Amino acid sequence: MRAIGSGITGGRAIVAPMLTAREMLFLALGIFGAGYVWIWFTGKGRAPGVPSPLELVIGFFTNFFDSLGIGSFAPTTAIFKFRKMVPDEQIPGTLNVGHTLPTILEAFLFIAIVNVDMLTLVLMISAAVVGAWFGAGVVAGLSRRKVQIGMGVALLVAAGFFLKDILNPAPAGGVAMILQGWKLWAGVLGSLVLGALMTLGIGLYAPCMILVSLLGMDPKAAFPIMMGSCAFLMPVASARFVRKDSYAARPALGLALGGLPGVLIAVFIVKSLSLTWIRWLVICAVIYAAITMLRSARGAKR
């Protein structure tokens, strides 16, 4: 803590503490989280009802594996599509609204655990938020068929990232926990694009891991960058989906309530796990969901 001012009282100097950059980031996370909850429960589509056991279980396991590096958007989309739980045009909004609270918790934990340069972290997070704001505004206003086409393509891209991660893992990267010069601005531009694409359901983990590795950072740096970006951009995107009532309220609440304990168990109890077979299962489920999305879009056109 550093002093921002002092005075004299009774012969003693009074020093007012100033928050560190990391503490200010935590404060901002708390403000964004509180604002997101307020918008959700005062906006359209409120009073979601009590989530079903299945919705809670989906929230638990998707966020459990998200904390371990699998990602939550693509698996959740595949489950929703397979079980016909959410209308196709409401899936992007449900993903963003439902996974926001668990993601904010992940951000708090990983930013505290992994020491990434604060300027790098803040700039990449800010770029992702700006991308999400514009992306959510576009996606929330799309027709069912356009959402089906967009999500079908996004799921195939996500499956490609999963497959690459198994067959040809991300570049080893370096040991840097900071970006400088042109690499910093390349990271900012990449985060801007990834933030926009995330609102459609691609997910951020695999692309972010590849981005930071190619820029010479330690792959561990992807976790606070990814979680921090998602924790700020998802409330922003969620606000637009809620205001347009473009999400399914009860499944979203199930993702949120089931996801919080999933994150805590993954980070503090399990910590690491061999995930190869899970990734293969996710690839199959995601490709199935992508094909059904595109078939639905084709049928709608006819």
Side-chain angles (χ1 to χ4, degrees):
M1 308 287 272
R2 293 175 293 175
I4 58 174
S6 62
I8 303 295
T9 301
R12 292 185 178 182
I14 299 176
V15 179
M18 184 175 74
L19 296 176
T20 66
R22 193 173 301 275
E23 290 167 340
M24 291 176 66
L25 191 59
F26 288 144
L27 178 61
L29 273 174
I31 293 172
F32 268 64
Y36 148 81
V37 172
W38 183 82
I39 291 172
W40 186 5
F41 288 99
T42 60
K44 295 179 180 180
R46 58 186 181 276
V50 179
S52 68
L54 176 60
E55 289 163 345
L56 293 170
V57 168
I58 293 171
F60 177 89
F61 280 105
T62 53
N63 286 284
F64 172 85
F65 287 115
D66 185 61
S67 301
L68 297 176
I70 286 289
S72 60
F73 271 33
T76 308
T77 301
I79 296 170
F80 282 170
K81 186 64 178 175
F82 180 75
R83 299 281 303 181
K84 296 180 172 63
M85 296 174 64
V86 177
D88 290 347
E89 69 274 16
Q90 293 184 354
I91 289 179
T94 306
L95 295 175
N96 280 276
V97 175
H99 284 303
T100 292
L101 277 182
T103 302
I104 290 175
L105 177 59
E106 290 178 62
F108 270 107
L109 298 175
F110 282 108
I111 290 173
I113 293 171
V114 184
N115 189 25
V116 176
D117 171 68
M118 289 306 300
L119 179 61
T120 301
L121 187 61
V122 169
L123 286 179
M124 293 185 72
I125 287 174
S126 300
V129 171
V130 173
W133 172 258
F134 288 105
V138 173
V139 174
L142 293 178
S143 66
R144 174 189 288 248
R145 181 171 178 271
K146 289 181 179 178
V147 170
Q148 289 170 334
I149 294 173
M151 291 205 71
V153 174
L155 287 170
L156 290 176
V157 172
F161 279 125
F162 280 121
L163 187 61
K164 179 185 181 303
D165 197 38
I166 295 174
L167 302 179
N168 184 24
V175 296
M177 302 299 279
I178 181 174
L179 291 177
Q180 296 175 307
W182 71 267
K183 289 186 177 181
L184 176 60
W185 298 113
V188 169
L189 179 60
S191 294
L192 181 72
V193 174
L194 295 181
L197 293 176
M198 185 178 170
T199 59
L200 194 56
I202 284 185
L204 197 62
Y205 173 74
C208 184
M209 177 69 77
I210 293 172
L211 176 64
V212 301
S213 297
L214 289 175
L215 292 174
M217 296 188 77
D218 188 321
K220 289 185 296 185
F223 281 87
I225 292 172
M226 170 189 66
M227 302 303 185
S229 297
C230 293
F232 281 102
L233 70 84
M234 288 173 70
V236 172
S238 296
R240 305 201 76 173
F241 285 117
V242 170
R243 292 190 187 283
K244 294 191 177 185
D245 198 18
S246 183
Y247 75 108
R250 200 185 76 176
L253 185 59
L255 295 178
L257 296 181
L260 292 173
V263 170
L264 293 173
I265 291 174
V267 173
F268 291 113
I269 298 177
V270 177
K271 297 182 181 180
S272 63
L273 192 67
S274 177
L275 300 173
T276 300
W277 67 274
I278 293 291
R279 288 192 173 95
W280 279 114
L281 181 62
V282 169
I283 287 172
C284 295
V286 167
I287 291 176
Y288 166 81
I291 292 172
T292 55
M293 280 282 187
L294 294 174
R295 288 183 62 186
S296 298
R298 184 180 180 185
K301 182 179 180 180
R302 288 179 176 176

